Amino acid sequence: QAGDGVPAAQKSSWTAFVKSIASVSGDLSSLTAPPFILSPVSLTEYPSYWCEHPGLFAKIADAKDDESRALAVLNWFISTLKGQYTSRNESMGSEKKPLNPVLGELFYGFWADKDGRGKTSLLVEQVSHHPPITAYVIENQSKGLRLVGHNAQKTSFSAGSIIVKQIGHAVLTYTPPTGTPVEYLLTFPRLRIDGIWYGSPYIELAETSYVSGGGFVSTVDYKGKGYFSGKSHSFKATVAPVMGTGVGEARYTIEGTWHTTSKITKSSGKVAAKGDEFHNVESGAYGKKEEVSVGDVATMEDFETRKLWGAVAKGIKTGDFDTASKEKSTIENDQRQRRKDEQAAGKTWPLKHFKLVENHPTCTSSLLFVFFVVLRVCFVFRVRVNASGLECAYTRLVLLFISRPHTLVPVPITDAIFLFADERLG
Ligand code: CLR
């Protein structure tokens, strides 16, 4: 029944919140929500979901050829979805509203070396507050793997659900011991947050996301439970070469539900190996999720997430919402003052690890658009394009166009950004 998940005393404030979602479209982050739906975790911590299976991430470096590497990247990507999109339901009973990071908020962490997989480091910075944009770097230096990405969201309300369009993308770079680096472009699925009526929100994924690079493109289609059939959290992925023999033809098809298991079918050649397990959240490397390790709060700087939000988080966790909201106001007032002072001084907040760069000057973008269309046509109609560098251009162009809605992209300032993080974490 409607409102079942809402504590009796918060029913009216939940209704007010839902109404405000319906009217204020775009950015939900600054809306005031009733206490029961608040999470004590800041959005700057979410990029750690990308590496809760550090072994699967490291394995990308072990692939022998482009084809198996494309599968390894897809495998790691799929393995992150359960954590990204269902873990709050598991740990807190429903999807929750994360703390809205302040400008310049920082989150550092790592996953220790184990079984020769190498150490993986995480660095996150909130690079914009209005709209909220979170940028991150995840790196396993010993394996030559580096993921750089940024996230923003555009929300709307439709048929009782919140629709979240993810803006941003991530680029995974694999640098082999010898030879040239390979780049994989990752895009993110669309979210539908259901269960709003009942006060127990949960996420379903929709539409399509891509992993493109190393000569292959993986297309992941997401489907939820239909009215009459289908399972929730279903997906179907295909892996196809972007040039050469069989361009655009799926070599592999993977089907299943991302929060449980999936199977892979090989479609190239005469022999089809059917029914092999692709991923299984219960077994082997998938079964053991490893949360990120962070340093001691006592040694943190003021703007590091767990220190900054410490008192707010404690209030939310212990049910002391008065303290939580008082502490939250203190942080917000401090932010407002900083912005005022900066404006008066004609300065802006200096980001620590990223700089914002213009993504696509209009003139080049329209030229490149033509090029992109030509390549896309080649791909769809399976025309062989074999020129070197074309595929790289293809990936870059996809990137250019999917990231169109925002013009500013955060890029890491230096290659030595982990020195600071490592210093903090010892
Ligand atoms: C952030 C980037 C991660 C994946 C991810 C998972 C959950 C998303 C979150 C992103 C963005 C913020 C989000 C959240 C679920 C709910 C929350 C959309 C995309 C909104 C702001 C809160 C809505 C309030 C309801 C719970 C009522 O890789």
Side-chain angles (χ1 to χ4, degrees), residues 319-337:
D320 181 358
F321 297 110
D322 285 342
T323 306
S325 83
K326 232 178 265 156
E327 295 287 343
K328 189 167 164 267
S329 301
T330 309
I331 295 174
E332 285 165 354
N333 291 337
D334 173 65
Q335 285 293 309
R336 272 190 279 274
Q337 192 56 50

Side-chain angles (χ1 to χ4, degrees), residues 23-325:
S23 57
V24 182
S25 76
D27 177 10
L28 285 187
S29 55
S30 43
L31 292 181
T32 312
F36 84 95
I37 206 74
L38 301 179
S39 154
V41 181
S42 165
L43 212 48
T44 53
E45 296 204 24
Y46 283 40
S48 64
Y49 291 128
W50 285 114
C51 213
E52 290 190 330
H53 300 97
L56 287 177
F57 185 62
K59 245 172 98 178
I60 294 168
D62 300 337
K64 310 165 297 311
D65 52 36
D66 286 344
E67 185 168 319
S68 44
R69 180 158 302 110
L71 287 171
V73 175
L74 181 62
N75 196 282
W76 154 75
F77 175 81
I78 299 291
S79 80
T80 71
L81 300 178
K82 184 181 184 233
Q84 308 248 26
Y85 302 112
T86 68
S87 62
R88 277 83 50 198
N89 295 69
E90 275 174 23
S91 63
M92 300 184 273
S94 83
E95 188 55 71
K96 301 270 172 173
K97 187 172 187 288
L99 297 170
N100 186 24
V102 306
L103 178 61
E105 188 172 322
L106 300 160
F107 184 66
Y108 303 109
F110 69 95
W111 291 266
D113 181 13
K114 213 198 237 170
D115 310 323
R117 71 182 185 204
K119 181 188 177 185
T120 314
S121 308
L122 165 75
L123 175 158
V124 186
E125 181 167 7
Q126 188 70 14
V127 296
S128 167
H129 185 69
H130 270 307
I133 306 177
T134 312
Y136 51 90
V137 182
I138 296 175
E139 185 167 48
N140 181 334
Q141 253 167 5
S142 67
K143 296 283 177 181
L145 292 164
R146 177 180 240 226
L147 180 76
V148 179
H150 68 282
N151 282 85
Q153 296 88 37
K154 233 187 202 145
T155 51
S156 55
F157 199 71
S158 160
S161 304
I162 301 173
I163 310 292
V164 182
K165 183 180 180 192
Q166 295 205 64
I167 299 173
H169 56 262
V171 175
L172 171 71
T173 310
Y174 169 59
T175 311
T178 56
T180 43
V182 198
E183 284 186 344
Y184 296 87
L185 170 71
L186 278 69
T187 69
F188 314 133
R190 187 162 295 204
L191 277 59
R192 212 184 55 229
I193 307 178
D194 289 329
I196 303 289
W197 270 109
Y198 305 97
S200 49
Y202 63 92
I203 290 174
E204 185 55 278
L205 299 182
E207 303 200 4
T208 308
S209 78
Y210 299 93
V211 180
S212 156
F216 289 84
V217 59
S218 300
T219 307
V220 189
D221 285 313
Y222 303 89
K223 290 271 179 313
K225 185 152 74 195
Y227 273 89
F228 304 108
S229 65
K231 288 184 185 153
S232 28
H233 305 338
S234 297
F235 77 97
K236 180 177 175 176
T238 57
V239 183
V242 292
M243 48 180 198
T245 322
V247 61
E249 276 169 49
R251 284 208 192 151
Y252 298 92
T253 303
I254 295 125
E255 264 178 291
T257 51
W258 45 262
H259 68 308
T260 62
T261 62
S262 62
K263 295 200 158 168
I264 179 164
T265 313
K266 192 172 179 176
S267 44
S268 71
K270 285 177 190 112
V271 217
K274 279 199 173 157
D276 288 336
E277 191 166 270
F278 184 67
H279 94 294
N280 181 343
V281 297
E282 237 100 73
S283 78
Y286 306 94
K288 301 174 227 95
K289 126 171 163 178
E290 290 175 45
E291 278 175 21
V292 68
S293 306
V294 297
D296 187 357
V297 180
T299 67
M300 284 182 187
E301 309 236 317
D302 290 347
F303 263 37
E304 285 184 63
T305 298
R306 297 219 180 152
K307 177 151 184 198
L308 180 77
W309 293 105
V312 177
K314 192 177 164 210
I316 293 174
K317 279 188 204 148
T318 57
D320 181 358
F321 297 110
D322 285 342
T323 306
S325 83

